[in-house]
Amino acid sequence: LAEQAKILVAEGEENNLGAKARTERWHRWDECSLCKQRYDGVVRCALSWGCWKTYVGRPETDEARRLAMSLLGNGLFDAEHYEEALSVRETELSMLHRIKAPEYNILCAQGNLAISYEWVDRNDEALRIRRDLYAGRLKQNGEEHKDTLIEANNLANLLFHLDRFEEVKSLSRKTMPVARRVLGEGHGLTLRILLSYGRVLYRDPDASPDDLREAVTTLEDTERIARRVLGGAHPFTLAVERNLRNARFALRAHETPPPGSA
């Protein structure tokens, strides 16, 4: 597999093929040519090492070398070598800054690095990068771009994991109306933002009765839309239903007076 990918990429370079053709050939390093599915696990990791060894001797500014480093980080991560993947991704980001790579490439590398930090529980570093990514997308693309909304949702999820509930609420209230307006209420990303907001409302230990009622209303709307768009058996719909049950339980518990209080 590695030799086939190496030959195809070399032919593309020698014949000065267009960007689309070169990209298709490059994907032979991580994608099956028959089923068009990404390799995973140890196969993806082994191919990524073969790719890196093929191009590591080239200058840092060489496109194939840059892509090979990114592929190596992804391959290591996919094979659950999280610390090694983190080291590669830190090196990659440093290199991209050094060679003054396009902002888009730097933002993509930062996203991968943030994921690595999260997986090794270095959440302070992950949060710093997630904030930088969201700010970078806002500056580059504006608040209505899908990439900006994706980064906002990624940041909200990390903030939720860190129990920073008020920040999640504030961010979600900014992005929900934008996602509804730009993507539509049935878009997958809009649904994920709605679920994130409904979840944080009832999971906050300091949730008020109004918060709990809003959580139930938000999750009821999200469940209705998800059922219509995705179907009742879809994993996302089931996740919304589970959160809706939890929110209703929290609201009932809050509204039910404790025994002996009457």
Side-chain angles (χ1 to χ4, degrees):
L1 294 175
E3 192 62 27
Q4 291 174 0
K6 180 179 177 180
I7 291 171
L8 284 170
V9 171
E11 288 177 348
E13 291 176 331
E14 291 169 4
N15 295 322
N16 198 27
L17 297 180
K20 182 179 179 181
R22 292 200 310 272
T23 299
E24 290 174 351
R25 287 169 178 255
W26 180 263
H27 279 313
R28 291 296 293 274
W29 280 111
D30 66 350
E31 184 181 280
C32 175
S33 61
L34 298 177
C35 67
K36 302 302 181 184
Q37 297 295 311
R38 288 280 180 93
Y39 297 116
D40 58 18
V42 295
V43 175
R44 188 179 188 190
C45 186
L47 280 171
S48 70
W49 270 115
C51 180
W52 175 243
K53 291 176 181 177
T54 299
Y55 305 108
V56 64
R58 295 188 179 189
E60 283 190 336
T61 53
D62 182 84
E63 180 184 34
R65 188 186 189 279
R66 298 199 309 273
L67 292 173
M69 180 175 284
S70 178
L71 200 68
L72 177 59
N74 294 340
L76 288 166
F77 185 89
D78 197 57
E80 301 182 2
H81 300 305
Y82 300 123
E83 292 287 353
E84 294 91 336
L86 173 59
S87 178
V88 170
R89 287 171 169 177
E90 287 178 327
T91 303
E92 179 190 9
L93 182 59
S94 177
M95 177 198 68
L96 291 173
H97 282 299
R98 188 164 56 249
I99 66 175
K100 294 180 172 55
E103 184 70 13
Y104 176 83
N105 294 349
I106 291 175
L107 291 173
C108 289
Q110 285 179 314
N112 287 334
L113 182 56
I115 293 171
S116 282
Y117 280 139
E118 290 172 32
W119 274 82
V120 299
D121 291 325
R122 290 172 58 177
N123 290 314
D124 288 342
E125 290 101 325
L127 182 57
R128 173 180 55 80
I129 292 178
R130 287 291 179 206
R131 292 191 192 281
D132 289 346
L133 273 168
Y134 179 48
R137 293 296 186 190
L138 274 173
K139 180 180 178 181
Q140 185 180 65
N141 302 318
E143 69 172 8
E144 295 187 346
H145 197 280
K146 183 180 177 181
D147 288 347
T148 305
L149 293 169
I150 289 173
E151 290 304 337
N153 195 51
N154 289 337
L155 175 57
N157 286 332
L158 180 55
L159 288 167
F160 178 83
H161 176 69
L162 298 177
D163 295 338
R164 302 175 77 146
F165 300 123
E166 289 303 320
E167 291 185 72
V168 179
K169 295 175 194 176
S170 176
L171 181 58
S172 297
R173 286 167 182 150
K174 291 179 183 177
T175 56
M176 280 191 304
V178 178
R180 278 179 162 139
R181 183 176 69 252
V182 176
L183 302 176
E185 67 175 12
H187 192 278
L189 180 55
T190 305
L191 290 171
R192 291 197 298 275
I193 294 172
L194 290 170
L195 173 58
S196 177
Y197 182 61
R199 179 183 61 178
V200 74
L201 285 171
Y202 81 84
R203 290 284 295 273
D204 186 347
D206 298 323
S208 68
D210 286 343
D211 289 332
L212 296 174
R213 282 189 282 271
E214 186 180 4
V216 170
T217 300
T218 300
L219 291 168
E220 284 177 341
D221 290 344
T222 308
E223 190 271 342
R224 173 183 53 79
I225 300 167
R227 182 175 291 276
R228 172 172 54 82
V229 175
L230 303 173
H234 193 278
F236 181 85
T237 306
L238 297 176
V240 176
E241 290 177 345
R242 183 170 61 253
N243 278 274
L244 177 56
R245 288 195 299 271
N246 293 340
R248 285 170 171 165
F249 178 83
L251 179 59
R252 285 196 302 270
H254 202 285
E255 292 177 337
T256 303
S261 63

